[in-house]
């Protein structure tokens, strides 16, 4: 079951369960679509993987399967991330 994390790890933008701009990697690292496109260039700073749109959890399911409430805000360290991004950004996620 997806955790449905409540915010972007980089910019701390709210990403509630119904957010259509939430993106996740295979480990559920969660970022807003603006950060994924403009800053991360589809490279997860935690694992090097790519991102996919996070599915919306139907409101009727939130009672028995609530979204996570704990925010994880750890802005990327641009210099360190640039090294990782340069390594992976020109390789499709499925070939990394």
């Amino acid at each position: 079951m997806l955790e449905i994390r409540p915010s972007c790890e980089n910019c701390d933008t709210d990403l509630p369960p119904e957010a259509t701009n939430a993106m996740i990697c295979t480990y559920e690292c969660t970022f807003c679509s603006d950060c994924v496109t403009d800053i991360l260039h589809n490279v997860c700073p935690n694992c090097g993987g790519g991102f996919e749109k996070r599915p919306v959890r139907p409101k009727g399911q939130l009672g028995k399967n609530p979204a996570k409430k704990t925010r994880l805000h750890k802005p990327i360290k641009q210099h360190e991330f640039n090294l990782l991004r340069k390594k992976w950004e020109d390789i499709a996620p499925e070939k990394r």
Side-chain angles (χ1 to χ4, degrees), residues 7-22:
S7 60
C8 175
E9 290 182 28
N10 186 56
C11 71
D12 206 33
T13 293
D14 289 338
L15 296 171
E18 68 276 6
T20 58
N21 63 328

Side-chain angles (χ1 to χ4, degrees), residues 77-94:
K77 294 177 178 140
Q78 194 65 53
H79 177 71
E80 291 175 21
F81 176 67
N82 284 343
L83 299 174
L84 179 70
R85 191 188 85 211
K86 287 177 184 176
K87 179 179 178 182
W88 297 118
E89 73 180 331
D90 293 328
I91 302 171
E94 66 273 11

